[in-house]
Amino acid sequence: IVDPYLWQSVSRQVSCASGLDALCQAIESLWARGGTDESRVYATEALDLAWRNLRRAVDGDREARAKLMEGAHLAGKAIAISKTTACHALSYGLTSRFGVPHGLAVAYTMPALMRHNAFVLPHGITADAFEALLVELGAPDFASFGVVEADVPALAAGVDPERLGNNPVPLSPDDISAIYKSLL
């Protein structure tokens, strides 16, 4: 059921994290090694809907929420085919060990992976634009979750290798550590 009225009681923080997860799923599906023509069609439309409507949806605009929900549905269809990549692989430890909401954990890693993958997105979405979106949405500062440099080796060791292997550009252990350190 994709019904924007079910979203009316959801907090701004949950809306933000959920919307960011859908946006990241669309982006990851576009660059995933496991992507297909079908998944890229879903992901392209999902990216368009999510990018254009996320800000207003988080602020409670009903029309934008309906469009973002449609985008999230399409992103889910895309990612079901292509599977997730490094952004999700690096996010799991942040959520399980530090309580970083899943969508935020994925979004925090996105700019660094956009740069690593040197991936050009539609609509001129760059790593800098994605970082600006996080600020505009009022995403909590990553430091507020208490991750410190001493946590990086354990986080890097716990990265999901299957999802990491679906990334278009391989990441070395040093790359993974550098991405985590860039968040601090």
Side-chain angles (χ1 to χ4, degrees):
I1 296 174
V2 180
D3 183 348
Y5 292 103
L6 297 175
W7 191 349
Q8 298 311 310
S9 64
V10 174
S11 72
R12 188 176 199 288
Q13 294 82 6
V14 171
S15 294
C16 181
S18 298
L20 285 167
D21 189 36
L23 178 62
C24 291
Q25 286 178 352
I27 294 169
E28 286 182 84
S29 189
L30 285 171
W31 72 38
R33 289 174 140 184
T36 65
D37 290 343
E38 181 182 12
S39 68
R40 288 185 188 98
V41 168
Y42 292 140
T44 298
E45 188 173 350
L47 175 63
D48 183 56
L49 287 165
W51 186 258
R52 286 189 300 118
N53 292 288
L54 179 58
R55 294 162 186 85
R56 291 188 346 267
V58 168
D59 288 335
D61 180 296
R62 286 185 183 182
E63 182 180 332
R65 283 185 170 188
K67 289 179 181 177
L68 179 58
M69 287 183 82
E70 180 183 353
H73 173 70
L74 292 168
K77 288 175 79 166
I79 213 72
I81 297 167
S82 67
K83 307 299 181 226
T84 57
T85 67
C87 294
H88 273 77
L90 273 70
S91 75
Y92 300 135
L94 297 173
T95 296
S96 65
R97 293 189 61 211
F98 296 96
V100 180
H102 172 70
L104 285 176
V106 176
Y108 287 136
T109 65
M110 180 58 74
L113 283 155
M114 288 172 76
R115 290 180 181 105
H116 179 81
N117 293 334
F119 195 78
V120 178
L121 292 168
H123 310 299
I125 302 170
T126 63
D128 290 344
F130 199 95
E131 288 170 335
L133 173 66
L134 291 174
V135 171
E136 187 177 337
L137 291 173
D141 186 83
F142 185 75
S144 69
F145 294 100
V147 183
V148 297
E149 192 165 345
D151 297 315
V152 169
L155 284 167
V159 170
D160 181 330
E162 181 181 347
R163 296 299 181 224
L164 195 62
N166 196 29
N167 202 64
V169 178
L171 286 103
S172 70
D174 288 341
D175 293 330
I176 294 166
S177 293
I179 289 170
Y180 281 129
K181 287 177 185 176
S182 75
L183 303 176
L184 303 177

